[in-house]
Amino acid sequence: MSEPTSLFSEALLLLGGAVVAAPVFKKLGLGTVLGYLFAGVVIGPALQVITDADNILRVSELGIVFLLFIIGLELKPSRLWQLRRDIFGLGTAQVLVTGLVLSAVATLSGVVDWRGGLIAGFGLALSSTAFALQILGESGDTNTRYGQLSFCILLLQDLAIVPLLALITVLDGPDGEMGEPIRDLFIAVAAVAVMVLAGRYLLPRLFQVIARTGAREVMIAAALLVVMGAASLMQAVGLSMAMGAFLAGVMLAESSYRHELEADIEPFRGILLAMFFIAVGLSLDLQVILSNIALIVVAVPLMMALKATVVYLVCRAAGSNHNDAIRIAFLLPQGGEFGFVLFTTAAAHGLMASGTASLLVAIVTLSMALTPLGASLSRRLMKEEGHEELEEDFDGAGSDVLMIGFSRFGQIAAQILLAGGRDVTVIDYSADRIRQAASFGFRIYFGDGTRKDVLLSSGIERAKIIAICTHNRQVTDRIVELVRAEFPQARLFVRAYDRIHTLALRERGIEYELRETLESGLLFGRRALEGLGLREEDATLISDDIRRRDEDRLVLQAAEGLQAGRHMLYSRPVKPEPLVKPKRTVEEYDDMADPVPNESG
């Protein structure tokens, strides 16, 4: 089989493995990452269909590069500066403490001497950026507090590859030149400075010129050129390729072309990152695992447990709460892709045997495979989120209107009532919301509206109207049921969550309900019609007609079910315009279709 045909076949196998494995593992709740790994293991070590994993791994590492570029685009320099303490404080502490602990364990095991143990320990202290960020993205936790802290640690780990590679040169002995690490460090700093200046002043002008051409394919090519060029520059000076791409992204984060660049790079990032996970599975050496099965069975869970414990303690010492520390600890216990570089480089310098380097690579790979399972198990060690409570003090409560819940909906309704000269007693169960309201001069009381004693203390028996404005449907239903049972004469005005909730509330006999989006949607549509040139009076009539139709539909649905009243909805088939202007007119097509004159006229 020729080489092009072989490459084509391998590409088909990799894509097929991704398409089959990812949905299955996603459906099983194990995540797509584990699916990609499994596909790689089956295609490579198990069936031996693809044996050259190194080349695939080198190419697919661009997925990590593109991933860091996109993250950089979403992280402005000002935001990065705000995270500097977490990056250089928490990140440095994690690398140092974890590296020293694992180095001591590796040295005491007797497999390597103290020099090899130092490299092994700090190599295992690094986590997989690709795995961690993929898991954060799938769970939607990238922008959470623990997601941001995890990213800060990963970013510092990427920076740490430079001094760790320099450490190998130092430990190499008298043959290594002591001046080289210092020189390399200055070169790396100069390269970063060049990247920052180019990203600040050169790249925006470059994209401005290209955008004027209107050639989308050139814009895509330019985006790929910038990412890969920045990555190559950083790699040439000893930094990671991902770091170069990240810096390029950060420098373009405030550019007007940010969204265009993100849309252009995203497809390449997705497919290459999937290929990276498959390549990790392909590179798994089953022979090394089988030869050292007893050692690996002990080493992998021990390494992950020690690393998770240290990460947890470091995060707690830095001020993270228990749940965030647990999440970070179970997200970052695996070894990382930069460990592969350190171990192979250390073996080349004679700091450890090549067999030991292969063993460490196998440990890192297996720890990666176990990470999605560990991340899903972390929830069992998390504590139930405690709800902050304030002292309940209802002195002065008791007004015409008792409002339960002071979210955005309640705040707007309260403004109308206060403007109408009515006193309002407001209770809410969120301490943060009470503090925020107090800063604007509102007087609201802390209290749980699902408790009868709280309702009595807040003056429900004197209130003429009970306005339930909570934003959680379940909480709203509990309050309605409580008030209906204990205070049957109370007049209930309730914020409904959606149409189904509206129908459920009407079955309970409340006096008035309103879906939170109904009136705002009607107003928005009316203003849009006016913006299109329709007279205000006509737009208002249409809006009133839609409101009436909606109410009539609700009446029918309450009697006949949700499918009733569909004929009352306005609908119009979509009429797409052609993307390319037709070369012939409609009349010309008609002439071609019917060349004989129509006698019927």
Side-chain angles (χ1 to χ4, degrees), residues 166-237:
L167 180 63
I168 292 177
T169 305
V170 173
L171 295 174
D172 194 20
D175 293 336
E177 297 181 15
M178 294 301 292
E180 286 185 3
I182 298 176
R183 184 190 64 193
D184 292 343
L185 181 61
F186 278 114
I187 292 176
V189 171
V192 170
V194 170
M195 272 292 310
V196 171
L197 292 174
R200 185 75 174 177
Y201 301 106
L202 179 61
L203 294 183
R205 289 178 173 81
L206 171 66
F207 286 111
Q208 186 178 15
V209 172
I210 294 174
R212 288 174 181 168
T213 66
R216 176 167 173 75
E217 66 277 7
V218 179
M219 180 67 80
I220 296 175
L224 293 173
L225 176 64
V226 167
V227 178
M228 297 175 69
S232 300
L233 175 62
M234 293 296 103
Q235 186 183 43
V237 299

Side-chain angles (χ1 to χ4, degrees), residues 538-574:
D538 294 336
T540 301
L541 288 174
I542 292 175
S543 175
D544 292 341
D545 177 60
I546 296 296
R547 186 184 292 106
R548 179 185 57 77
R549 285 171 171 265
D550 182 82
E551 179 60 30
D552 292 344
R553 281 186 62 220
L554 283 171
V555 173
L556 284 175
Q557 288 174 324
E560 303 175 17
L562 280 177
Q563 298 302 317
R566 296 183 64 179
H567 64 282
M568 304 178 70
L569 289 172
Y570 283 110
S571 62
R572 180 174 298 172
V574 177

